[in-house]
Every structure is written in structure tokens, then in C-alpha cells.
Amino acid sequence: EEYKKLNIIKVLVTGSKGQLGKCIQKISKSYPSLEFFFADYKMLDITQASHVKKLFSERKFDVVINCAAYTNVERSEKEPKKAFLVNAEGVKNLAEVCKQNDSTLIHISTDYVFDGEKETPYTEEDIPNPINEYGKSKLKGERLIQEVLSKYFIVRTSWLYSEFGHNFFKTIFKKSETEDQLSVITSEIGTPTNANELAQFILDVIKNQRQKK
């Protein structure tokens, strides 16, 4: 009740050791009205419904930012069950506990829910058509959220880059320092997204939602 009087928003960030989670952590102090709890895989395994329920029984969260995901696209083809376990079942676990606690879920999804055949940028109105197991698992997670919750945001993003983790930008930059010639495939088209800017966008969404109330 004290938190409500102070207008503090309690935010759980799952998958906090990933690129986006680290970017959120970096700017978190710039949002004094938000109180963060950062949980990595070791602290919270979203595939275990009991783990998720236990954390919510110990702490009350107004918002959950789900950065936890199985993101290895190539390995998802060989291990689809693992991809679906994290990207679909794990997401359902979060959605169900958010419903029970009247929490808002902000879920990070991907451009892989589309087939890439469109020649202009995708919009929210475009019909998903994933062509690999990773994309199918992420779309399944999106649909489970929509079945369970009324309070949610699904943020589809692509080609994240930042100073953290492994990403395309850092790989090319390192190679440019050590190799005379760079060889890069030209068959993929995407929109590189600054993970720091995405983190700021997500936290602004939370802050603005509270201000509207």
C-alpha cells in the first residue's frame, strides 16, 4: 500500500543477463518511479511454473518485462522442444501469474514471426507466417499471451546491438580490426535495433501508462 501512495511501479525483468536486460539495468536509475527486480536464468527459470509462482508470492510486481528467451535460431531447428519450452510454455507461465496478480506483461518478440517475403517494412497488421522453429516458438508465445491476458504489450524487434553480449555490430567491428577483407552474406535484410534505445522505449511505456491512470 505504501508503494501505491508513493506511486512506485514495481518491475520484474526476466532474462536480465541478456543484452536487453543489461541495457535496462544500465538506465534503470534514470527512472526513480520504477523499482526493479532483475532475475537471470539461475534466479528464475520461467519454464518452471512453480518457480514463477514462488517469486510472485514473495514479491508483488506491477509489470513484468520478459527478456528471457531461447534465441539460438540454428539450434532451434535441431532442438525445437527446447525452443518451445522457453519461448512458448515459459511465456504462458508468466502470462498466467500476471493474470492472477493483475500485472502487465511486456514481452519481447521477434521479426522471425514473419516469413521475410514482404518487400516493405512489416507492421503490426501484417499476418505472421514463421518459416523456422524459432519463429514458430516465438509466435506461439505471442498467441498464448493473447489467450491468457488483456493487459500486455508485445514488442517485436530485430538485430539487437549494444555494448553488451554477442551481436552483429560487435562481430563486424572486431573483424574489421583484424582482417584485411570482410566477407558478409547479402541474402538477409533486417533492421538493426539499438538495445539501449529499445530499453528506454520500454521503460517510457511503463512510465507513461502510469501517468495516464
Side-chain angles (χ1 to χ4, degrees):
E1 289 301 317
E2 285 299 313
Y3 280 101
K4 287 180 182 174
K5 288 176 190 173
L6 295 168
N7 218 22
I8 297 291
I9 306 168
K10 302 185 86 173
V11 182
L12 167 64
V13 181
T14 65
S16 63
K17 289 280 177 72
Q19 193 174 181
L20 182 58
K22 286 181 178 177
C23 288
I24 293 172
Q25 201 154 355
K26 189 179 84 171
I27 63 167
S28 59
K29 288 184 173 60
S30 303
Y31 291 80
S33 63
L34 310 185
E35 181 185 280
F36 293 89
F37 183 84
F38 293 96
D40 63 7
Y41 169 74
K42 289 179 181 174
M43 198 179 295
L44 177 65
D45 179 357
I46 66 168
T47 67
Q48 301 293 319
S50 59
H51 291 193
V52 180
K53 287 176 184 173
K54 184 172 184 290
L55 181 60
F56 267 77
S57 69
E58 294 167 355
R59 296 170 177 268
K60 170 75 176 138
F61 299 108
D62 302 299
V63 179
V64 176
I65 305 173
N66 181 36
C67 300
Y70 187 95
T71 58
N72 191 313
V73 178
E74 290 177 13
R75 207 181 297 161
S76 295
E77 292 301 307
K78 298 170 186 170
E79 302 175 334
K81 283 186 179 177
K82 284 189 179 179
F84 274 86
L85 182 63
V86 180
N87 297 339
E89 287 304 311
V91 171
K92 185 183 179 187
N93 291 338
L94 286 175
E96 288 181 339
V97 83
C98 281
K99 185 177 183 181
Q100 290 161 9
N101 291 272
D102 195 31
S103 307
T104 300
L105 177 59
I106 300 178
H107 176 65
I108 311 305
S109 193
T110 173
D111 58 325
Y112 275 90
V113 298
F114 299 114
D115 58 21
E117 294 295 322
K118 192 181 176 191
E119 293 183 356
T120 53
Y122 282 98
T123 72
E124 295 91 332
E125 281 75 38
D126 288 317
I127 298 169
N129 182 36
I131 56 174
N132 58 24
E133 295 300 323
Y134 170 67
K136 289 172 187 174
S137 71
K138 292 294 283 186
L139 181 60
K140 178 75 173 172
E142 286 188 10
R143 290 189 167 153
L144 287 167
I145 290 170
Q146 292 166 320
E147 285 173 17
V148 173
L149 287 174
S150 56
K151 289 166 60 176
Y152 64 87
F153 295 88
I154 293 171
V155 182
R156 292 171 178 156
T157 188
S158 64
W159 292 23
L160 284 183
Y161 69 91
S162 70
E163 65 271 43
F164 303 113
H166 301 287
N167 56 68
F168 181 76
F169 174 79
K170 282 172 76 174
T171 301
I172 295 297
F173 186 76
K174 283 177 185 173
K175 285 190 174 184
S176 71
E177 292 183 311
T178 57
E179 297 178 19
D180 294 329
Q181 285 188 314
L182 289 176
S183 178
V184 184
I185 60 167
T186 57
S187 59
E188 286 191 41
I189 297 173
T191 305
T193 305
N194 187 318
N196 288 291
E197 290 181 0
L198 179 58
Q200 188 177 341
F201 165 77
I202 292 166
L203 299 192
D204 285 344
V205 165
I206 298 171
K207 193 173 73 170
N208 293 339
Q209 283 295 305
R210 175 54 61 93
Q211 288 170 347
K212 284 179 186 175
K213 289 183 179 179

